[in-house]
Amino acid sequence: MPSYKAPVEDALFLLNDVFHLDRYGNLPGFADASADLVEAVLREAARFSEEVLTPLNRVGDREGCKRHDDGSVSTPAGFKDAYDQLVAGGWIGISAPQEFGGQGLPGTLTEIVNEFFCSANMAFAMYPGLTQGAIAALLTHAAPELKARYLPKMVEGAWTGTMNLTEPHCGTDLGLLRTKAVPQGDGSYKITGTKIFISAGEHDLSGNIVHLVLARIEGAPTGTRGISLFVAPKFLVGEDGAPGARNGVVCGSIEEKMGIHGNATCVMNFDGAVGWLVGEENRGLNAMFTMMNEARLGVGVQGLALSEVAYQNAAAYAKERLQGRAISGVKYPDKPADPIVVHPDIRRALMTMRAFNEAGRALVMWTALKGDVARRSGDEKERRSADDHMGLLTPVIKGVLTDGGFNNAVAAQQIFGGHGYIAEHGMEQFVRDARIAMIYEGANGIQALDLVGRKLPKDGGRALMAFFNEVQGYLKERVDSDGLNGYLKPLGQSLAHLQQASMWFMNNAMAKPDNAGAGAYDYMQLFGLVALGYMWARIAEAALAKADDAVMKGKLVTARFFMERMLPETATHLARIQAGAASTMELPDEAF
Amino acid sequence: MPSYKAPVEDALFLLNDVFHLDRYGNLPGFADASADLVEAVLREAARFSEEVLTPLNRVGDREGCKRHDDGSVSTPAGFKDAYDQLVAGGWIGISAPQEFGGQGLPGTLTEIVNEFFCSANMAFAMYPGLTQGAIAALLTHAAPELKARYLPKMVEGAWTGTMNLTEPHCGTDLGLLRTKAVPQGDGSYKITGTKIFISAGEHDLSGNIVHLVLARIEGAPTGTRGISLFVAPKFLVGEDGAPGARNGVVCGSIEEKMGIHGNATCVMNFDGAVGWLVGEENRGLNAMFTMMNEARLGVGVQGLALSEVAYQNAAAYAKERLQGRAISGVKYPDKPADPIVVHPDIRRALMTMRAFNEAGRALVMWTALKGDVARRSGDEKERRSADDHMGLLTPVIKGVLTDGGFNNAVAAQQIFGGHGYIAEHGMEQFVRDARIAMIYEGANGIQALDLVGRKLPKDGGRALMAFFNEVQGYLKERVDSDGLNGYLKPLGQSLAHLQQASMWFMNNAMAKPDNAGAGAYDYMQLFGLVALGYMWARIAEAALAKADDAVMKGKLVTARFFMERMLPETATHLARIQAGAASTMELPDEAF
């Protein structure tokens, strides 16, 4: 069975030494987040992940969820008990506003804690994760009485949340959606339609399930401008705030799927379910996007989380499995063979994962901190610039961390050889679980289009320019730093590749948008490499400033590995982008 | 449910127009392989794959194999009937010698047919595939009486074969193996030990199962020089040639694994099983390598096969699924949305698969033809050079086609969005099935080491020089060909990268072998890209010479796509190789 140890020290190093959490004391909630408190929170999250959630990961995969004839759904053995402990620990609301029962701590802390939870048990962590997304949407868009009715219970975890977007014939293209909402004259609507792929749509963990649903109000325009967002709970909530009569929404079936078996992926049938409008009429997509941005960052964290736990298990196996002798000479003469960690090709795989994980964690943290600034700062300019960063980096984090997370789970499985292919070691589960993160919350190809088609040109490229200025400014200030120079030069080169790619789009995609579409995926990957490279530069700088211990030395070696072995890919991405769309688009549709 | 149409036309184009099968008429068996006969064989193989094997693919995945208390194993419903049809069609022995009941046709035909079978149903195709590998080992190494006893039944398919190498504590490092063989004085041995991960180890398809087993004769040296190969059938064969008493070998359990559920992956317990030596004492690894080379080419074919069937289904879905509108303007105004095949990012994925599949098929065919020359030519020099090619290209084909096959199955699944993650469409099964091909018959990291550590330096680099001369000679002869020039220039550049990488190893790996180990994987990928690029050049040349129809035009566009979008990766691989081993190897083992 796989094991897991939450990377608390690494998170603290990033928070304190790289991002200097103490400099954010002016933001509401940050003053409470003293170094001691943060450490205590992370240590307790680690304990819960390692002791409670990890042992349930394989159980969840093997048992899966079961739908009964009455439409109710049972989660795997142990999930309910673990969920109760999660609620008792107050984990869902650590960053939620105090007025709704939350602790008001930085959202950044939630992202770190969620990484631990997902590493330990992704299918389980999705239940509170979806609730947090629903809380975010209600906080931003719901009327005060809806907030008062739902948020305290959701922040507590007594009730969970869901997102109901996809229908059988539409996922990416929500403009096609058919679910209908008919006004009842009393402020409520009756919602009818079928939603599919609804994670945590039905289960036995919480006293109520608060569904956020996209639907079209009778008579609304077709397309995306006629979609509204509703809240429709499983149990209608009475005047006393307690769940009462059953609403007209049931789980029709559970999907049989590749992984995340511990999470119930439901077909949800809305049959005149009573719901209330969240935000304005026909502005539902807008409201949903708030939720989706939070959710996309969260899905990026899932990619990182799976990569981390897969790495840990592969590293442990590589030190234990004896096979062959080092090509540079016997390393463990007292053993019948050397552990495979001595082989360069095994190291290549381990170092690749490690270089991805440590910088990926930094990238999430950096962006989560910007999220806190965007939500909490009193300074409008500061908020706007943080929001620019979030908008730009969210698709990159979602796309690049989930692609990389999956690839690393595959690479970690590979280190186990045939033992990775059988269920026993749990490595193949990581691969199956990690796979979904590339698909949901907008398939990664959609993230790439969002980045290139929406986020780059937005506000005249303001967000992109700010990113370039930050990295370039960082490089310029340190150009004469002897210790850092080796790390900075490759980053400067890759930044130039990103700038050339951006320029190429400006010159070639206006007249021919296919040139943007055909290069979007490579651009996202190229952007991700530069962002991770920038994180490595900052990590290396912090590591050089700290004591010369084994951990910090490890950081410096890994930074070099990243610069020498991973960053050079930016050249290939640039070449592909500059090749343009011609050969990609030339064949007629029927040639496929 | 996924569908499949065997690429018969493409195989015929490659055989006739690119590789000119008719020029091989001097080889035994090739004169019989007239264009008409070859086409008839491929069309019948296609029919069998499409109509019989494809419908059983999902059944096999869902039902899997079942072990009963007596150690017997049932295959999924329909497998036995399909196997009987396979035997009746004479498919296993189409390339086997006529003296043992085969048809003596080119081995190349077997590879093409196996691609079709694996696309349709990989788990099923492994049963005859392993038999073919066992036939190859017996043909080359067994004494005449063993050949006479086993080969006719195996060639017919009445009996199947297995390879028993791996033990719980050793797979890659067979020097550690513990299974013992005790001579009985009558020419036979009693074999005792446990073998794991034995594909097709026990099942209900055939009247007997012929196990090839690696074991150590009592008193033999430790390490790889004390290993011998034995044949130990499930049922001992009487004087009359019929299966008689049960031998001391049973299936102890079936592994629960990620995919290929239709194939029984067994723990095989040998408990004094009677076996006979194949080849010389203590030279078992050598004998097994014959089988492994055939098997490795066959596993490469599996990668190609999964990529092909995954591509076909993704292409069909992309033409059918309506979602969004083309960024260059509405393409299907009569539909509520455009089919996703209009989107550049979907095309990018489809073109990548296609460019891989068509060149991968060519690479397999080119190498299989060399295999036929190596086995059948009367000219020693010709045999030697063909054998050099096989030795050099086998690890490349195994490693690169299985990595690419898996990546393409993942990319094809991605095109289905959420529908790719659920079992219904069969796409996630392709991913799970394709995954094993990167692991078995030598994990791909081992292929890379075989290539760099063994195949490059062998005979003073003779095989590598011959490969360079062939590609370089090809380019030089066509340097002034206007039509081809656009394809040849990028290939010339990537060939230069491969030559630089080879030179770098020569200069840097002698003194420090870790430099070879750390760069081996990238070298294998770089080699694969150059080999596929060479195939695209030859395909483009043949396409230009043919009629200007849609298929040939498709080849030319795909060739351009490969050159512009896939080949540029060679630069990154070269950069990684030239970075050397320092950052990869610097951390102490305990840092992981």
Side-chain angles (χ1 to χ4, degrees):
Chain A
M1 212 170 71
S3 64
Y4 173 62
K5 194 169 173 336
V8 174
E9 309 305 331
D10 196 45
L12 291 174
F13 164 72
L14 291 170
L15 276 177
N16 298 326
D17 297 289
V18 178
F19 297 115
H20 306 284
L21 190 64
D22 52 1
R23 296 186 192 159
Y24 290 78
N26 60 320
L27 293 182
F30 275 66
D32 299 338
S34 68
D36 285 353
L37 180 93
V38 167
E39 182 171 343
V41 167
L42 295 190
R43 293 217 183 277
E44 181 54 20
R47 192 204 58 78
F48 183 67
S49 305
E50 295 161 7
E51 295 175 15
V52 180
L53 298 184
T54 294
L56 292 175
N57 193 40
R58 199 163 165 226
V59 177
D61 185 57
R62 295 174 66 97
E63 278 194 26
C65 295
K66 279 182 200 71
R67 179 186 174 276
H68 307 286
D69 289 344
D70 62 356
S72 68
V73 169
S74 318
T75 52
F79 270 44
K80 171 67 177 147
D81 182 53
Y83 187 79
D84 290 345
Q85 292 183 54
L86 183 91
V87 171
W91 288 111
I92 294 158
I94 53 174
S95 309
Q98 293 178 330
E99 63 167 309
F100 298 112
Q103 295 176 60
L105 291 168
T108 305
L109 269 192
T110 292
E111 299 301 340
I112 302 171
V113 167
N114 284 354
E115 185 205 320
F116 298 176
F117 290 177
C118 285
S119 284
N121 195 327
M122 174 167 157
F124 178 91
M126 288 171 67
Y127 293 102
L130 282 154
T131 305
Q132 288 169 337
I135 289 171
L138 290 172
L139 272 175
T140 315
H141 300 285
E145 59 274 20
L146 289 180
K147 286 187 188 171
R149 195 180 307 162
Y150 295 107
L151 283 176
K153 290 290 189 181
M154 293 171 77
V155 167
E156 180 194 345
W159 300 352
T160 56
T162 70
M163 296 170 64
N164 290 252
L165 289 76
T166 304
E167 299 183 4
H169 61 289
C170 72
T172 298
D173 185 358
L174 288 169
L176 301 173
L177 77 76
R178 295 180 192 148
T179 296
K180 269 191 192 150
V182 182
Q184 298 300 299
D186 61 352
S188 76
Y189 292 78
K190 287 217 163 172
I191 299 169
T192 301
T194 302
K195 297 286 183 179
I196 63 170
F197 304 155
I198 308 308
S199 298
E202 179 59 74
H203 56 79
D204 54 6
L205 300 181
S206 62
N208 203 353
I209 301 175
V210 181
H211 300 294
L212 291 182
V213 195
L214 287 185
R216 204 181 289 282
I217 297 175
E218 236 181 0
T222 55
T224 52
R225 284 155 198 273
I227 298 173
S228 304
L229 180 64
F230 298 89
V231 60
K234 174 180 170 183
F235 295 107
L236 293 167
V237 180
E239 287 303 308
D240 59 351
R246 184 66 200 254
N247 202 355
V249 46
V250 291
C251 166
S253 62
I254 300 189
E255 302 289 359
E256 186 196 338
K257 56 196 193 297
M258 188 181 193
I260 50 165
H261 294 156
N263 199 282
T265 306
C266 301
V267 173
M268 296 303 294
N269 297 322
F270 290 81
D271 187 10
V274 182
W276 289 266
L277 191 64
V278 177
E280 293 171 49
E281 270 188 33
N282 300 338
R283 298 273 296 157
L285 268 197
N286 188 46
M288 210 62 171
F289 272 129
T290 315
M291 190 162 167
M292 277 166 66
N293 272 333
E294 299 259 334
R296 284 173 177 183
L297 185 60
V299 173
V301 170
Q302 291 177 340
L304 166 65
L306 272 283
S307 179
E308 173 67 32
V309 69
Y311 164 77
Q312 288 188 16
N313 284 276
Y317 189 78
K319 288 190 284 188
E320 183 188 296
R321 174 80 172 170
L322 308 177
Q323 210 77 180
R325 290 296 187 184
I327 41 175
S328 55
V330 175
K331 292 284 181 297
Y332 294 78
D334 52 320
K335 295 187 174 172
D338 286 339
I340 61 175
V341 71
V342 306
H343 302 313
D345 191 59
I346 298 287
R347 293 231 172 197
R348 172 191 62 78
L350 290 174
M351 289 297 293
T352 302
M353 295 178 223
R354 192 179 165 121
F356 174 88
N357 294 347
E358 297 179 18
R361 184 169 299 118
L363 185 58
V364 165
M365 213 172 281
W366 184 40
T367 302
L369 280 165
K370 299 272 186 182
D372 277 319
V373 173
R375 278 187 302 267
R376 302 184 187 205
S377 171
D379 180 288
E380 196 194 322
K381 221 178 119 193
E382 215 178 59
R383 278 205 311 272
R384 193 184 74 179
S385 118
D387 198 60
D388 280 356
H389 173 104
M390 282 286 288
L392 186 68
L393 269 292
T394 296
V396 174
I397 287 177
K398 198 287 186 180
V400 173
L401 293 197
T402 62
D403 275 4
F406 176 74
N407 290 340
N408 287 342
V410 170
Q413 178 189 28
Q414 188 74 11
I415 287 177
F416 281 70
H419 296 275
Y421 197 67
I422 60 174
E424 190 182 330
H425 294 275
M427 300 306 287
E428 59 93 38
Q429 183 189 343
F430 293 141
V431 173
R432 289 184 290 102
D433 287 355
R435 183 67 185 88
I436 188 59
M438 297 157 72
I439 298 174
Y440 62 16
E441 297 305 336
N444 286 357
I446 298 297
Q447 304 299 328
L449 287 182
D450 178 48
L451 175 65
V452 169
R454 225 174 280 154
K455 302 299 172 57
L456 291 199
K458 203 176 164 223
D459 304 312
R462 192 177 67 203
L464 184 69
M465 288 309 128
F467 178 83
F468 286 163
N469 285 341
E470 163 143 11
V471 183
Q472 220 150 15
Y474 181 91
L475 292 174
K476 207 173 277 176
E477 277 172 33
R478 285 154 186 86
V479 71
D480 296 324
S481 156
D482 280 352
L484 265 181
N485 210 16
Y487 307 100
L488 301 188
K489 227 185 115 194
L491 177 59
Q493 205 158 54
S494 289
L495 177 66
H497 292 160
L498 182 62
Q499 287 167 325
Q500 288 165 50
S502 311
M503 190 66 79
W504 193 90
F505 281 146
M506 282 188 28
N507 295 334
N508 295 280
M510 305 283 198
K512 207 174 164 229
D514 280 347
N515 277 328
Y521 212 88
D522 280 288
Y523 187 85
M524 176 177 77
Q525 297 291 344
L526 168 48
F527 203 121
L529 283 164
V530 171
L532 292 171
Y534 177 48
M535 293 299 101
W536 269 120
R538 294 187 59 176
I539 294 168
E541 186 179 18
L544 281 169
K546 283 205 85 163
D548 183 22
D549 66 4
V551 174
M552 291 304 122
K553 207 185 152 232
K555 295 272 179 202
L556 293 173
V557 171
T558 312
R560 241 174 60 225
F561 180 90
F562 183 88
M563 299 297 173
E564 291 174 359
R565 295 226 156 212
M566 296 169 74
L567 207 46
E569 270 181 43
T570 56
T572 297
H573 292 301
L574 177 62
R576 284 210 198 107
I577 291 165
Q578 292 179 334
S583 64
T584 307
M585 300 307 289
E586 190 169 330
L587 291 184
D589 296 349
E590 60 273 16
F592 290 92
Chain B
M1 211 171 72
S3 64
Y4 174 61
K5 195 170 170 338
V8 174
E9 310 305 332
D10 196 45
L12 292 174
F13 164 72
L14 291 170
L15 276 176
N16 298 324
D17 296 289
V18 177
F19 297 115
H20 306 285
L21 190 66
D22 52 359
R23 294 184 192 159
Y24 291 76
N26 61 319
L27 293 182
F30 275 66
D32 300 338
S34 68
D36 286 354
L37 180 94
V38 166
E39 183 171 343
V41 167
L42 295 190
R43 293 218 182 278
E44 180 54 21
R47 191 202 58 78
F48 183 67
S49 304
E50 295 161 8
E51 296 176 13
V52 180
L53 298 185
T54 294
L56 293 175
N57 193 42
R58 202 167 162 222
V59 177
D61 185 58
R62 294 175 65 96
E63 277 193 26
C65 296
K66 279 181 199 71
R67 180 185 174 277
H68 307 286
D69 289 345
D70 62 356
S72 67
V73 169
S74 316
T75 54
F79 270 45
K80 171 68 177 149
D81 182 53
Y83 188 79
D84 290 345
Q85 292 182 54
L86 183 91
V87 171
W91 288 112
I92 294 158
I94 53 174
S95 308
Q98 294 180 328
E99 64 168 310
F100 297 113
Q103 294 175 60
L105 291 168
T108 304
L109 269 193
T110 291
E111 298 301 341
I112 301 171
V113 166
N114 283 354
E115 185 205 320
F116 298 175
F117 290 177
C118 286
S119 283
N121 196 325
M122 176 168 155
F124 178 91
M126 290 171 66
Y127 293 101
L130 283 154
T131 306
Q132 288 169 338
I135 290 171
L138 291 171
L139 271 175
T140 316
H141 300 285
E145 59 275 19
L146 289 181
K147 287 186 186 173
R149 195 182 303 162
Y150 295 106
L151 283 176
K153 290 290 192 183
M154 294 171 77
V155 168
E156 181 196 343
W159 299 353
T160 56
T162 71
M163 296 170 65
N164 290 253
L165 288 76
T166 304
E167 300 182 4
H169 61 289
C170 73
T172 299
D173 187 356
L174 289 168
L176 301 173
L177 77 77
R178 295 179 191 150
T179 297
K180 269 192 192 151
V182 183
Q184 299 299 299
D186 62 353
S188 74
Y189 293 77
K190 288 217 163 174
I191 300 168
T192 300
T194 302
K195 296 288 183 178
I196 63 169
F197 304 155
I198 308 308
S199 298
E202 178 60 71
H203 56 77
D204 53 7
L205 300 181
S206 62
N208 204 355
I209 300 175
V210 181
H211 300 294
L212 291 182
V213 196
L214 288 184
R216 206 180 289 281
I217 297 174
E218 236 183 358
T222 56
T224 53
R225 284 154 199 274
I227 299 173
S228 304
L229 179 65
F230 298 88
V231 58
K234 174 179 171 184
F235 295 107
L236 294 166
V237 180
E239 287 303 308
D240 59 352
R246 184 67 201 254
N247 202 355
V249 48
V250 292
C251 166
S253 63
I254 298 190
E255 302 289 359
E256 186 195 339
K257 57 196 193 297
M258 186 181 194
I260 52 166
H261 294 156
N263 200 282
T265 305
C266 302
V267 174
M268 297 302 294
N269 297 321
F270 291 81
D271 186 10
V274 182
W276 288 267
L277 191 65
V278 177
E280 294 172 48
E281 269 187 30
N282 300 339
R283 299 273 294 157
L285 267 198
N286 189 47
M288 211 61 171
F289 271 129
T290 312
M291 190 162 166
M292 277 166 64
N293 272 332
E294 300 259 335
R296 284 174 176 183
L297 184 59
V299 173
V301 169
Q302 291 177 341
L304 166 64
L306 273 282
S307 179
E308 171 67 32
V309 70
Y311 164 77
Q312 289 188 15
N313 284 277
Y317 189 79
K319 287 189 287 187
E320 184 189 295
R321 174 80 171 171
L322 307 179
Q323 211 78 178
R325 290 295 186 184
I327 39 175
S328 55
V330 175
K331 291 284 182 295
Y332 294 78
D334 53 319
K335 295 186 173 171
D338 286 338
I340 60 174
V341 71
V342 306
H343 302 314
D345 191 59
I346 298 286
R347 294 236 171 192
R348 173 192 61 79
L350 290 175
M351 290 296 294
T352 303
M353 295 178 223
R354 192 179 166 120
F356 174 88
N357 294 346
E358 297 180 16
R361 184 169 299 118
L363 186 58
V364 165
M365 213 173 279
W366 184 41
T367 302
L369 280 166
K370 298 272 187 183
D372 276 319
V373 173
R375 278 186 302 268
R376 300 185 188 204
S377 170
D379 180 287
E380 196 194 320
K381 222 178 118 192
E382 216 178 59
R383 280 205 309 271
R384 194 185 75 181
S385 117
D387 197 60
D388 280 355
H389 173 102
M390 284 284 290
L392 185 68
L393 268 292
T394 296
V396 174
I397 287 178
K398 199 286 184 180
V400 173
L401 293 198
T402 62
D403 275 3
F406 176 74
N407 290 339
N408 287 341
V410 170
Q413 179 189 26
Q414 188 76 10
I415 287 178
F416 281 71
H419 296 274
Y421 197 67
I422 60 174
E424 191 182 331
H425 293 275
M427 301 306 289
E428 59 93 38
Q429 183 190 342
F430 293 142
V431 173
R432 289 185 288 104
D433 286 356
R435 183 67 185 89
I436 188 60
M438 297 157 72
I439 299 173
Y440 62 16
E441 298 304 336
N444 286 356
I446 298 296
Q447 304 298 328
L449 288 181
D450 178 49
L451 175 65
V452 168
R454 227 174 277 152
K455 301 300 171 57
L456 291 199
K458 201 176 164 224
D459 304 313
R462 194 176 68 202
L464 184 69
M465 287 308 128
F467 177 84
F468 286 163
N469 285 340
E470 164 145 8
V471 183
Q472 220 151 15
Y474 180 93
L475 292 174
K476 206 174 276 175
E477 277 172 33
R478 284 153 188 86
V479 71
D480 295 324
S481 156
D482 280 351
L484 265 180
N485 210 17
Y487 307 101
L488 301 188
K489 228 184 113 193
L491 176 58
Q493 205 160 54
S494 289
L495 177 67
H497 292 159
L498 183 61
Q499 288 168 324
Q500 288 165 48
S502 311
M503 190 66 77
W504 193 89
F505 281 146
M506 281 188 27
N507 294 335
N508 295 281
M510 306 284 198
K512 204 172 167 232
D514 280 347
N515 277 328
Y521 212 89
D522 280 288
Y523 187 85
M524 177 175 77
Q525 298 290 345
L526 169 49
F527 203 121
L529 284 165
V530 171
L532 292 171
Y534 177 48
M535 293 298 101
W536 268 120
R538 293 187 59 175
I539 293 169
E541 186 180 19
L544 283 169
K546 283 205 88 166
D548 182 24
D549 66 4
V551 175
M552 290 306 122
K553 206 184 152 231
K555 295 273 180 200
L556 292 172
V557 172
T558 312
R560 242 174 58 224
F561 180 90
F562 183 88
M563 298 298 172
E564 290 174 0
R565 294 225 158 212
M566 296 168 75
L567 208 45
E569 270 181 45
T570 55
T572 297
H573 292 302
L574 177 62
R576 284 209 199 107
I577 290 165
Q578 291 179 336
S583 64
T584 308
M585 301 305 290
E586 190 169 329
L587 291 184
D589 296 348
E590 60 275 15
F592 291 91

